[in-house]
């Protein structure tokens, strides 16, 4: 490098700018400062048109790097922070999530374990483009990950990268796109069963010598739409048979560590009081009368008096009921030629919602009873109604219209 006065040149006699220099090995270097700290970038080429030395890996020229750094400095972005990996960003994001529910924590660990197996987790966040993000999610699905798993992964990456945007590390969130159209939604929707199927299943449970003891619980789930964790969390104090009201303000869950915990409802809207029919009230009365008194009432986070408990006196949780439903459906299908579709506690909830929608219940009322935080979730049930439902509704409206016309005709004749 030749120097004449304050002017520095490279071997090609090109003037080097402030901060530029050449190392002993011939690599160009640019020195700049961020918050008073010196930073360096290197390249084997000064200009984009320079040839890359033989055997060297392709790289941006120093002037291209400077342009990028200049833009970053102008927008107050620290280029060095772009060098943190996707995994490091995710870990930083997860550290900000405090006070989370056990299920949410389990989902975060699920995503963490997936990312640790992927090369994408080692990518520098500053190099991740929107197309890279889309291709990564597509790869996950191509590798056999289900839609719900891909959605869960994206549910962590999207806010993690948004945090990087908010922290002025990157300019744009590469995961800011809609998932639809990128990966195929191959998840099976939990379909509601028909009224006839519900009646047949309830009759089977009622008459079966083994499962008749669960009849009241199954009927309650079909006729209240409660989440199974809400049902498991009910205590004697939550059931007001005199006024026929059930208070729902918590849920019972068991963590992967087999720890029983009381959690708030899934959403704020989940905290509600639901009126119950006389039939449902009778079922609750029967459960309370048959409950008996355990040797010692188990307390879970200050709650006791749960409706169902195991041989050790611990309250039943969602997994218990899911297993019982599976066994009940399996036995039904062993007996009857016309098979019953898969029925789970959540199918009971979805069936209740569908039945109320078909009966013409006001969507806002149904939203309250279901504990949905957004009306769109409730309205989605209405969009799944089929041709028979549309025909029945049209017939009902036609009958109402005919009745009105008959009333008007009667009034006119009376006048």
């Amino acid at each position: 490098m030749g120097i004449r006065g304050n002017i520095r040149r490279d071997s090609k006699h090109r003037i080097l700018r402030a901060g530029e220099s050449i190392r002993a090995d011939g690599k160009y270097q640019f020195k700049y400062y961020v918050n008073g700290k010196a930073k360096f970038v290197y390249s084997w080429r000064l200009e984009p048109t320079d040839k890359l030395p033989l055997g060297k890996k392709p790289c941006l020229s120093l002037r291209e790097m400077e342009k990028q750094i200049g833009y970053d400095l102008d927008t107050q972005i620290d280029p060095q922070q772009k060098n943190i990996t996707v995994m490091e960003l995710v870990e930083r994001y997860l550290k900000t999530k405090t006070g989370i529910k056990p299920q949410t924590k389990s989902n975060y660990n699920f995503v963490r374990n997936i990312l640790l197996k992927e090369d994408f987790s080692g990518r520098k966040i500053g190099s991740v483009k929107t197309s890279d993000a889309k291709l990564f999610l597509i790869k996950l699905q191509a590798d056999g990950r289900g839609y719900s798993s891909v959605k869960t992964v994206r549910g962590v990456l999207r806010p993690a990268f948004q945090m990087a945007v908010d922290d002025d590390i990157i300019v744009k969130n590469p995961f800011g796109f809609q998932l639809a159209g990128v990966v195929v939604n191959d998840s099976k929707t939990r379909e509601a069963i028909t009224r006839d199927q519900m009646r047949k299943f309830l009759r089977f449970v009622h008459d079966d010598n083994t499962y008749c003891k669960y009849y009241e619980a199954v009927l309650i789930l079909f006729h209240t739409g409660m989440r199974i964790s809400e049902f498991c969390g009910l205590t004697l104090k939550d059931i007001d048979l005199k006024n026929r009201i059930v208070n729902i303000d918590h849920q019972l869950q068991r963590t992967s560590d087999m720890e029983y915990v009381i959690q708030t409802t899934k959403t704020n809207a989940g905290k509600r009081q639901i009126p119950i029919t006389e039939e449902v009230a009778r079922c609750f009365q029967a459960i309370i009368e048959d409950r008996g008194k355990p040797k010692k009432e188990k307390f879970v986070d200050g709650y006791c008096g749960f409706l169902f408990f195991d041989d050790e006196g611990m309250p039943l949780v969602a997994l218990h009921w899911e297993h019982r439903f599976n066994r009940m459906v399996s036995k039904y299908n062993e007996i009857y030629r016309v098979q019953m579709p898969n029925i789970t506690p959540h199918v009971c909830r979805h069936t209740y919602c569908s039945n109320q929608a078909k009966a013409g219940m006001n969507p806002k009322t149904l939203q309250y009873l279901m504990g949905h935080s957004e009306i769109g979730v409730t309205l989605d049930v209405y969009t799944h109604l089929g041709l028979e439902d549309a025909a029945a509704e049209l017939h009902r409206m036609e009958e109402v219209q005919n009745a009105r016309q008959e009333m008007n005709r009667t009034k006119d004749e009376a006048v």
Side-chain angles (χ1 to χ4, degrees):
M1 178 178 66
I3 300 177
R4 180 178 297 175
N6 292 326
I7 299 177
R8 295 177 299 168
R9 300 177 184 271
D10 65 1
S11 59
K12 297 180 180 180
H13 303 289
R14 292 177 296 191
I15 297 176
L16 297 178
R17 301 169 183 170
E20 295 179 345
S21 61
I22 301 179
R23 304 196 315 176
D25 59 0
K27 181 180 284 188
Y28 289 95
Q29 170 184 288
F30 177 67
K31 181 179 181 181
Y32 63 100
Y33 293 86
V34 174
N35 297 328
K37 294 182 179 181
K39 307 288 183 179
F40 298 89
V41 290
Y42 309 94
S43 176
W44 291 106
R45 300 182 300 150
L46 180 64
E47 296 285 0
T49 55
D50 291 352
K51 291 184 178 180
L52 190 70
L54 189 65
K56 303 301 181 181
K57 293 182 179 180
C59 60
L60 292 175
S61 69
L62 194 72
R63 295 277 165 87
E64 288 175 308
M65 292 182 179
E66 289 177 41
K67 184 176 181 181
Q68 182 176 341
I69 290 169
Y71 171 75
D72 291 339
L73 292 175
D74 289 342
T75 55
Q76 298 182 346
I77 294 177
D78 181 355
Q80 287 299 111
Q81 291 187 42
K82 287 184 177 182
N83 290 328
I84 66 172
T85 66
V86 172
M87 197 69 231
E88 290 171 337
L89 177 66
V90 168
E91 293 292 357
R92 181 179 177 84
Y93 167 72
L94 294 182
K95 286 180 181 178
T96 68
K97 309 304 289 184
T98 58
I100 57 176
K101 295 180 179 180
Q103 184 58 47
T104 304
K105 183 178 180 180
S106 177
N107 289 340
Y108 286 159
N109 288 331
F110 172 74
V111 173
R112 182 186 282 110
N113 291 334
I114 289 179
L115 290 176
L116 287 173
K117 300 175 183 177
E118 298 291 335
D119 293 338
F120 183 79
S121 66
R123 289 280 302 271
K124 307 297 184 183
I125 65 171
S127 69
V128 178
K129 301 178 176 62
T130 299
S131 58
D132 297 325
K134 291 181 178 180
L135 289 171
F136 172 62
L137 298 183
I138 292 171
K139 176 186 179 298
L140 288 180
Q141 190 170 54
D143 288 346
R145 298 286 181 183
Y147 176 81
S148 60
S149 296
V150 176
K151 185 177 180 181
T152 302
V153 171
R154 187 252 197 169
V156 171
L157 289 173
R158 184 173 184 173
F161 272 88
Q162 186 58 47
M163 181 184 73
V165 173
D166 296 339
D167 287 347
D168 293 331
I169 299 175
I170 57 177
V171 175
K172 181 181 177 182
N173 186 344
F175 284 89
F177 52 84
Q178 294 297 319
L179 197 58
V182 177
V183 294
V184 179
N185 187 352
D186 56 0
S187 58
K188 295 181 179 179
T189 57
R190 296 187 179 101
E191 294 292 341
I193 60 175
T194 65
R195 287 183 181 273
D196 184 57
Q197 289 173 325
M198 182 180 73
R199 284 192 292 266
K200 289 179 178 178
F201 185 69
L202 283 170
R203 190 184 309 120
F204 161 75
V205 176
H206 180 273
D207 297 340
D208 186 81
N209 292 331
T210 302
Y211 299 115
C212 59
K213 56 186 175 183
Y214 306 136
Y215 171 75
E216 287 82 9
V218 176
L219 186 142
I220 289 171
L221 291 173
F222 269 124
H223 288 81
T224 61
M226 277 188 284
R227 298 179 176 91
I228 187 60
S229 57
E230 295 171 345
F231 177 71
C232 292
L234 290 179
T235 67
L236 298 175
K237 293 181 179 180
D238 295 315
I239 303 165
D240 182 355
L241 293 177
K242 180 180 179 181
N243 297 306
R244 296 205 314 216
I245 293 175
V246 174
N247 179 61
I248 301 174
D249 60 8
H250 63 277
Q251 57 180 331
L252 174 69
Q253 292 186 344
R254 189 174 65 183
T255 68
S256 56
D257 298 327
M258 303 301 287
E259 178 186 1
Y260 290 77
V261 294
I262 292 292
Q263 295 287 332
T264 56
T265 52
K266 184 176 180 180
T267 64
N268 291 333
K271 186 176 180 179
R272 62 203 188 278
Q273 290 183 314
I274 59 173
I276 56 176
T277 63
E278 184 177 348
E279 182 181 27
V280 171
R282 286 198 301 267
C283 287
F284 272 118
Q285 182 66 50
I287 290 173
I288 294 172
E289 291 175 355
D290 295 341
R291 176 180 181 271
K293 188 161 181 67
K295 295 179 182 179
K296 184 180 179 181
E297 285 282 2
K298 297 291 185 180
F299 282 78
V300 179
D301 295 336
Y303 287 77
C304 68
F306 299 98
L307 301 184
F308 294 92
F309 41 84
D310 58 22
D311 295 336
E312 298 179 358
M314 295 304 297
L316 299 187
V317 294
L319 191 62
H320 291 118
W321 288 106
E322 289 169 1
H323 287 329
R324 289 176 177 178
F325 269 85
N326 286 336
R327 291 194 293 267
M328 287 187 284
V329 173
S330 295
K331 186 172 183 179
Y332 181 99
N333 288 336
E334 290 174 0
I335 299 173
Y336 296 99
R337 181 176 61 84
V338 179
Q339 300 287 282
M340 186 67 65
N342 183 39
I343 300 176
T344 66
H346 195 85
V347 168
C348 295
R349 174 173 164 81
H350 192 57
T351 299
Y352 169 80
C353 192
S354 295
N355 286 341
Q356 299 308 317
K358 292 177 182 179
M361 180 178 285
N362 182 284
K364 291 299 291 184
T365 301
L366 185 53
Q367 178 190 5
Y368 170 78
L369 293 175
M370 295 297 293
H372 289 153
S373 59
E374 297 179 2
I375 187 63
V377 179
T378 311
L379 292 175
D380 188 53
V381 176
Y382 288 82
T383 65
H384 284 90
L385 303 183
L387 175 61
E388 293 182 2
D389 305 307
E393 179 68 11
L394 188 62
H395 180 67
R396 186 184 68 82
M397 294 180 64
E398 186 179 23
E399 288 182 338
V400 171
Q401 184 65 24
N402 291 338
R404 287 176 178 171
Q405 292 177 352
E406 181 64 23
M407 289 177 62
N408 292 334
R409 186 182 64 79
T410 302
K411 288 180 181 180
D412 292 340
E413 290 179 354
V415 174

